[in-house]
Amino acid sequence: MKKLIYSAFVAMLLIGQSCVGPEGPPGPQGFDGYDGVDGKDGEEAYVFEFVFDFESPDYGVLLEYPDGFTALDSDVVLVYLLWDTLDDGTEVWRLLPQSMITDFGFLQYNFDFTKFDARVFLDSDFNLDNLGSPFLDNWLARVVVVPGQFTGRMDYSDYNAVKETFNLPDKEIPTGYVISERPE
């Protein structure tokens, strides 16, 4: 019986050895699959534009996103104010918050946001009723909603770099918009 088991074991080893050898030549190339329908490229980030004045008593403005748009919990919102337009037409955008020292004291343009809106507001160590028109009137803001997976990858202070990186649409300054003499 031991010889029978030993013989079967040796036969299995020999059969197993005969299956191993050099790899053969590659087979013929298969056919390419059919091309799918090209889809529309999805948007990575969104930009919304608002014109407003800071008014008493709260000196803040709620900027609601358009109907049907809700940011994700992971999205990040950036708010830029059009601060100046140079003689050659170059737009100067500043990322909030922006701080300055005025004749009255410390002033900051700031914002907060939810997934439904952004609120732009003034904060100071003095009575905001002292401020004049250049500080309060005729502001143009661009609110950029950036998906959370992109945060931390670039310098967001340059609106034009953000626009280029996320392929944001070109936006014209609204007809009739006149920038006031902005404070420095």
Side-chain angles (χ1 to χ4, degrees):
M1 179 74 166
K2 283 186 178 182
K3 285 188 178 187
L4 183 60
I5 293 174
Y6 179 72
S7 297
F9 180 70
V10 170
M12 287 177 23
L13 281 176
L14 291 174
I15 292 172
Q17 285 288 3
S18 64
C19 294
V20 176
E23 189 174 321
Q29 183 67 31
F31 296 108
D32 286 342
Y34 294 106
D35 287 339
V37 177
D38 287 341
K40 186 177 180 184
D41 288 340
E43 294 183 71
E44 296 283 346
Y46 302 88
V47 61
F48 308 114
E49 194 169 81
F50 302 90
V51 176
F52 59 88
D53 297 331
F54 292 102
E55 295 178 351
S56 177
D58 61 354
Y59 294 96
V61 179
L62 189 65
L63 309 175
E64 295 182 14
Y65 307 145
D67 289 340
F69 180 85
T70 302
L72 301 176
D73 289 334
S74 60
D75 289 346
V76 175
V77 173
L78 307 169
V79 177
Y80 297 87
L81 291 180
L82 180 60
W83 207 266
D84 197 4
T85 303
L86 304 179
D87 291 337
D88 66 358
T90 303
E91 300 167 0
V92 178
W93 293 93
R94 290 193 180 176
L95 177 64
L96 295 185
Q98 285 292 314
S99 301
M100 65 180 61
I101 302 295
T102 70
D103 292 340
F104 308 108
F106 177 79
L107 174 66
Q108 185 175 58
Y109 292 83
N110 208 341
F111 79 103
D112 55 30
F113 68 92
T114 71
K115 60 185 190 175
F116 306 106
D117 54 45
R119 185 175 66 95
V120 179
F121 58 93
L122 298 179
D123 194 16
S124 71
D125 62 358
F126 60 89
N127 184 341
L128 291 170
D129 293 334
N130 293 329
L131 292 176
S133 179
F135 293 93
L136 305 173
D137 295 341
N138 205 29
W139 287 97
L140 178 64
R142 289 194 178 153
V143 176
V144 179
V145 180
V146 178
Q149 73 260 25
F150 294 110
T151 57
R153 294 187 183 178
M154 64 177 294
D155 175 15
Y156 291 103
S157 63
D158 182 354
Y159 174 75
N160 292 314
V162 171
K163 185 176 113 178
E164 184 178 321
T165 298
F166 296 110
N167 199 24
L168 297 174
D170 287 329
K171 290 195 170 275
E172 297 291 324
I173 294 177
T175 305
Y177 178 80
V178 178
I179 191 166
S180 303
E181 186 75 25
R182 295 294 182 217
E184 285 300 321

